[in-house]
Amino acid sequence: MAESYGSDAERYDRTRPRYPDALVERIAAESPGRDVLDVGTGTGIAGLAFLAHGCRVLGVEPDSRMAAFARHKGLDVEVAKFEDWDPAGRDFDAVVAGTVWHWADPVAGADRAARALRPGGRLALFWNAFQPANDVAEAFTEAYTRAVPGMPMDWRRMTGPDAYAGVCATAADGIRKAAAFGEPEEWRFEWDRIYTREEWLDQVPTFGSHGQLPAEKLDALLSGLGDAVDALGGSFSMHYTAVAVTAVRSG
């Protein structure tokens, strides 16, 4: 599934939520310098945010299509699976990963990050957690139940930062097992975005497993979700919590 996103890199880049400035600023401020390694850089959403904050950014991305897209947007990107990537003597002040670490081996990834970090450097792994209002969650859940009843997508239960509790715990445990970092911390940053009907439906095919639905199932789902947004007035506000697991490289 992780390798499927590059088939429509432009849509992925256009629709996926960005990360709040407060998260980027805190990671940059609490790192010893401005050299950043962006793991699983994708189309450059996280990497470009750090670049805009005055950092020097190198991306590592296993999908050559995504890497080419990020390069076109101005990032320096090397094509490799991070666990196999060779730092070649280079080191960094921060290793960051936006919405990708759940695809990595948590121990091997943390070990590779430790090898790429300077002493005192920071590893920061983060995700955006959806947290829709109750009426939005109810409407979306009903649309999924009607169009794709076999897909476990209950927006009433699978959203908010607690939905990432297992992912964060696995990431933190991997950091501890790498035995090269201080105790991991969890940071949270709240933000909101207004979506129009068209903007939300444009993003839905980029969600995990959605791009693998048969065309008729995806069309039925998009139709149902479109009707739901129409019933909400044609747009809605999505609350997000950006959740970060972070730790400092031991000296």
Side-chain angles (χ1 to χ4, degrees):
M1 191 187 304
E3 296 174 354
S4 69
Y5 297 119
S7 63
D8 197 351
E10 196 278 332
R11 180 197 294 268
Y12 187 97
D13 185 73
R14 181 177 69 245
T15 65
R16 279 298 181 110
R18 273 41 184 172
Y19 301 100
D21 287 343
L23 174 125
V24 177
E25 290 167 359
R26 184 170 180 186
I27 293 169
E30 298 198 23
S31 299
R34 293 280 167 160
D35 292 323
V36 174
L37 180 67
D38 181 26
V39 177
T41 199
T43 61
I45 291 172
L48 288 167
F50 282 93
L51 196 66
H53 279 77
C55 297
R56 295 173 291 274
V57 181
L58 173 65
V60 178
E61 168 57 45
D63 190 316
S64 60
R65 300 163 298 181
M66 299 286 256
F69 194 98
R71 289 192 194 108
H72 182 71
K73 297 192 74 174
L75 278 183
D76 184 13
V77 185
E78 297 180 2
V79 177
K81 184 179 177 181
F82 181 59
E83 294 92 329
D84 302 327
W85 175 75
D86 183 5
R90 296 165 292 180
D91 53 16
F92 300 85
D93 299 299
V95 173
V96 303
T99 317
V100 296
W101 203 254
H102 50 286
W103 301 116
D105 181 293
V107 181
D111 181 70
R112 185 65 48 142
R115 291 175 54 189
L117 281 167
R118 296 168 183 144
R122 180 170 294 279
L123 174 61
L125 319 170
F126 43 90
W127 295 263
N128 271 317
F130 297 103
Q131 196 165 355
N134 289 339
D135 58 342
V136 177
E138 290 284 352
F140 283 4
T141 299
E142 183 177 346
Y144 275 84
T145 300
R146 288 181 176 176
V148 282
M151 178 178 281
M153 197 73 178
D154 187 338
W155 284 86
R156 300 164 301 184
R157 300 179 180 178
M158 297 181 61
T159 56
D162 290 345
Y164 281 85
V167 168
C168 290
T170 298
D173 190 51
I175 291 170
R176 294 185 187 100
K177 288 179 179 177
F181 294 90
E183 179 62 17
E185 302 175 60
E186 184 175 306
W187 299 345
R188 294 186 177 189
F189 303 84
E190 310 286 329
W191 65 285
D192 296 274
R193 176 180 167 176
I194 301 293
Y195 282 96
T196 65
R197 180 186 195 275
E198 291 73 20
E199 288 169 339
W200 186 253
L201 298 186
D202 198 18
Q203 182 182 189
V204 168
T206 74
F207 294 159
S209 78
H210 287 55
Q212 297 174 320
L213 287 172
E216 65 276 10
K217 289 285 188 181
L218 181 59
D219 288 345
L221 175 61
L222 294 176
S223 178
L225 290 171
D227 290 344
V229 178
D230 286 342
L232 293 165
S235 65
F236 65 95
S237 178
M238 178 64 74
H239 183 70
Y240 285 96
T241 302
V243 184
V245 176
T246 181
V248 174
R249 173 75 162 90
S250 303

